[in-house]
């Protein structure tokens, strides 16, 4: 099964994609993670994307569609994928349609996480992750069980994303409203959109997604 998780920054797309990957063996395709890896590797794509990402703007459709297209050729993707952070513009939605047709794949669900935007700023500015294994935490909502030690791998090194500051988050929300929210009707016309309350606790959001995937 192939799905898109749609929602503004901080809506919980990455959190839920990670859980689906663990529970169902689906593959998380996060264009944000792909771009951050390119930035860390100082590749030409990363060098082009870095300033745009730091400002909270959107990287060009061509660049991001190029990296997604390569990733869709991976053998593992045949198990089913979760698109997290793509498409984000009408141009990307059209490009995705073309890519999937070329690769003989289809899309089964678009799940929109609806959230209160003020809560998002709080969620994102408090977010940090383990620098070794990537496990996610939050200053108030999800502290490690032992202070300053990762629950998963016991590392004591943590990191924060450079774009997780209030000013950049506000710009990312503007970008979402202006360019991403308008693509929802495109998928509604195909009859594959479901809306979930993204303000519910993480486990409840997950249960609602599972219910949609199981046809409930
Ligand atoms: P990207 O990495 O995609 O970031 P984003 O969309 O801004 O989303 P986030 O990762 O910030 O949030 P999320 O919804 O995954 O929330 P999370 O689960 O982490 O993109 C970054 C940048 O890359 C973009 O700004 C752009 O420049 C570029 N880019 C990426 N894709 C692109 C594209 N297709 N086109 C152009 N440019 C692109 O949760 C957030 C926090 O909340 C966590 O601490 C979590 O623990 C907590 N949380 C989650 N769910 C709940 C809950 N239900 N209750 C309480 N807390 C919760």
């Amino acid at each position: 099964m192939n799905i898109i998780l749609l929602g503004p920054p901080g809506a919980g797309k990455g959190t839920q994609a990670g859980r689906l990957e663990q529970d169902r063996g689906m593959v998380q395709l996060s264009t944000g993670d792909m771009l951050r890896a390119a930035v860390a590797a100082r590749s030409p794509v990363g060098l082009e994307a870095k300033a745009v990402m730091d400002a909270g703007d959107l990287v060009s459709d061509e660049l991001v569609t190029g990296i997604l297209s390569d990733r869709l050729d991976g053998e593992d993707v045949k198990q089913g994928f979760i698109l997290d952070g793509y498409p984000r513009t009408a141009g990307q939605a059209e490009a995705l349609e073309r890519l999937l047709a070329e690769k003989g794949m289809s899309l089964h669900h678009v799940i929109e996480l609806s959230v209160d935007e003020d809560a998002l700023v709080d969620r994102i500015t408090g977010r940090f992750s383990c620098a070794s294994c990537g496990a996610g935490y939050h200053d108030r909502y999800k502290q490690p069980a032992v202070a300053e030690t990762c629950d998963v791998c016991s590392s004591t090194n943590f990191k924060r994303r450079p774009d997780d500051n209030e000013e950049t988050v506000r710009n990312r929300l503007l970008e979402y409203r202006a360019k991403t929210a308008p693509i929802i009707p495109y998928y509604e016309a195909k009859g594959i959109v479901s809306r979930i309350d993204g303000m519910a606790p993480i486990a409840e959001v997950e249960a609602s997604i599972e219910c949609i995937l199981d046809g409930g």
Side-chain angles (χ1 to χ4, degrees):
M1 183 168 304
N2 302 323
I3 70 169
I4 295 174
L5 283 184
L6 208 60
K13 304 179 297 293
T15 301
Q16 295 300 331
R19 291 167 85 106
L20 289 174
E21 191 168 57
Q22 246 179 3
D23 296 349
R24 293 193 172 234
M26 295 167 78
V27 177
Q28 176 183 10
L29 300 178
S30 159
T31 44
D33 286 349
M34 293 174 206
L35 289 167
R36 279 184 287 279
V39 169
R42 304 179 63 78
S43 69
V45 166
L47 293 175
E48 191 178 333
K50 185 174 182 342
V52 180
M53 294 173 78
D54 285 349
D57 294 330
L58 292 184
V59 173
S60 74
D61 286 354
E62 292 71 26
L63 192 149
V64 79
T65 299
I67 56 173
L68 178 72
S69 174
D70 291 345
R71 186 64 187 88
L72 281 172
D73 291 331
E75 198 54 34
D76 57 340
V77 170
K78 298 201 172 84
Q79 296 158 209
F81 62 75
I82 310 142
L83 280 169
D84 160 10
Y86 187 101
R88 266 174 145 100
T89 63
Q92 291 180 20
E94 286 160 16
L96 178 64
E97 180 112 354
R98 276 197 308 275
L99 278 181
L100 294 180
E102 278 165 25
K103 296 175 194 293
M105 296 168 155
S106 46
L107 198 58
H108 303 96
H109 294 283
V110 175
I111 300 178
E112 184 196 356
L113 300 173
S114 30
V115 277
D116 168 336
E117 290 199 359
D118 284 328
L120 296 184
V121 176
D122 182 48
R123 276 192 192 178
I124 292 181
T125 53
R127 170 171 65 179
F128 60 101
S129 63
C130 172
S132 299
C133 73
Y137 297 96
H138 193 279
D139 290 331
R140 279 177 301 286
Y141 310 127
K142 196 183 165 204
Q143 286 273 0
V146 176
E148 293 172 27
T149 306
C150 176
D151 295 347
V152 179
C153 73
S154 300
S155 166
T156 53
N157 292 321
F158 294 91
K159 61 179 182 182
R160 288 178 193 263
R161 276 172 43 180
D163 60 343
D164 277 356
N165 58 74
E166 179 158 357
E167 190 190 344
T168 305
V169 173
R170 297 263 176 218
N171 191 41
R172 283 156 61 194
L173 285 169
L174 286 177
E175 289 281 72
Y176 180 81
R177 277 199 293 270
K179 296 175 183 163
T180 309
I183 68 178
I184 295 172
Y186 174 82
Y187 290 111
E188 277 173 338
K190 295 177 184 286
I192 55 172
V193 176
S194 306
R195 244 172 226 104
I196 284 185
D197 175 15
M199 300 307 295
I202 290 172
E204 268 181 42
V205 176
E206 183 182 14
S208 304
I209 294 175
E210 299 273 5
C211 185
I212 291 166
L213 301 190
D214 292 335

